[in-house]
Structure formats: structure tokens, C-alpha cells
Amino acid sequence: MKTLSNRQIAILTENGFEEVELTSPMQALKDAGATVHIVSPQKEKVKAMKDHDWSIEIPVDRHVSEVSASDYDGLVLPGGVFNPDQLRMNDQAIRFISEFFEAGKPVAAICHGPQALINANVVRGRDITSYPSIKTDLINAGANWQNLEVVVDNGLVTSRTPEDLPAFNKKMCEEFAEGIHEGQKP
């Protein structure tokens, strides 16, 4: 059953995302019937990392300056070390992320992806997980960090590592199918 056939989902990324943390959720979303766009501050393509080396390139569908949360039903933030660090320093990316929370739209972030949520000021009081190395950053920003394979809090789905992708993808698709979550709004 194509539970997301009427949904448009944005995957916001920069260069240096962890390959499988973008490709696996993207495939799960497409398999569920969603239309998926790669959104980036880069104009043409973004490059992945795999096993600490550069790997595949993926075409960018939309530049972050050309989009808003009103164009999409949900947002995915893949991890990787470089990707979220670059996104969190980009005002357009932070604006785009913040708009999803203001609209109550679901957001899914894995591994280091939640780092960008800190700069968007949307983690205070939220149950969340992440790659363990950013646990303290999230706690210092007011999040309730949990060491679980997937944590769901009013439309916010987070996971720790690529090993958690099956649980992450399942919960991400469920939350995106549910749509607006009033508790997501700051």
C-alpha cells in the first residue's frame, strides 16, 4: 500500500552526508509512494561519505533558497559529520528547518542530523536521540536525550546510527503519513 502517495518530502543535505542515511530513507519514502526532493545549499549535486571516504554524488532538485516548508509535507535530515555542521551554519537551511516545526510538520533526523535542530532552536523539552558524540550538545540545548534505536516525539523522529535505519524508516513513514502534529509547534 502506498501510504505516502500524496506526500512531498524534502531531504535537506549538504556535502558530506553519510550515504546510507540519505539513500535508505529516500528509498523507503519512494517505496511508500512519496515524491522526494533533494534540497541543498549546493546548486547541482551533493557528495556522500561512506566508510570515511567520499562516495556517490546525488543531483540536487531544489536550492534551499527556492523552497519553504509550505512546499512539503515532511523533512528528512541525514547525518554524517560534515553535512549537519555545514547546515547549522547556513541561515537559509535553519530557516527551512524552523518552518517545518512552526507548521507542525513531521521531521526525521538521524545520527548527527539533529545538530542542525539545535541551531533551529527546536530541541528544548523534546525527547530525542542521536549519534552518541552529540548527546551533550543536545542535552545542553535542552533536549531529553535517550539511548534508543528510534525516538518519536510529536512528529519528530530521531535515530542514532545506520544500524537503526529499519526502525527509523518505519517510524518516519508512519509520522509522515499522519501529517500535521500540533505538538511539533514550538
Side-chain angles (χ1 to χ4, degrees):
M1 187 164 100
K2 301 286 187 178
T3 57
L4 298 177
S5 60
N6 60 343
R7 301 282 199 266
Q8 295 222 37
I9 307 300
I11 299 178
L12 178 62
T13 191
E14 251 288 3
N15 287 314
F17 61 91
E18 184 65 36
E19 181 181 321
V20 71
E21 293 173 0
L22 186 148
T23 59
S24 177
M26 181 170 63
Q27 191 59 54
L29 291 164
K30 287 180 177 180
D31 289 348
T35 300
V36 180
H37 289 159
I38 302 299
V39 176
S40 178
Q42 299 298 319
K43 293 193 184 281
E44 295 180 21
K45 58 190 173 190
V46 285
K47 195 165 189 173
M49 297 289 292
K50 182 178 180 180
D51 301 323
H52 306 289
D53 292 316
W54 291 105
S55 65
I56 64 171
E57 292 181 338
I58 295 180
V60 170
D61 297 304
R62 306 278 302 271
H63 189 269
V64 71
S65 67
E66 304 167 344
V67 295
S68 73
S70 63
D71 300 325
Y72 297 99
D73 300 294
L75 174 65
V76 178
L77 297 168
V81 176
F82 301 129
N83 166 44
D85 193 54
Q86 291 181 77
L87 288 177
R88 69 191 301 196
M89 299 302 293
N90 183 297
D91 291 340
Q92 293 173 328
I94 296 304
R95 170 204 46 87
F96 187 55
I97 293 166
S98 297
E99 288 175 353
F100 280 87
F101 285 86
E102 291 163 8
K105 294 183 177 184
V107 174
I110 187 166
C111 198
H112 288 79
Q115 277 186 313
L117 300 177
I118 294 170
N119 287 56
N121 269 334
V122 294
V123 299
R124 181 164 305 283
R126 304 299 295 267
D127 293 333
I128 199 166
T129 194
S130 67
Y131 193 76
S133 69
I134 64 168
K135 169 186 174 181
T136 302
D137 298 333
L138 288 161
I139 291 170
N140 288 341
N144 304 315
W145 194 88
Q146 301 174 11
N147 187 22
L148 299 170
E149 71 177 352
V150 66
V151 174
V152 180
D153 182 341
N154 281 308
L156 174 60
V157 180
T158 53
S159 282
R160 301 169 300 190
T161 68
E163 288 76 25
D164 299 332
L165 278 165
F168 178 76
N169 290 343
K170 181 178 184 224
K171 286 297 184 184
M172 170 190 65
C173 288
E174 287 175 11
E175 295 300 301
F176 288 178
E178 287 177 14
I180 300 293
H181 292 72
E182 288 300 319
Q184 180 80 307
K185 297 179 181 181

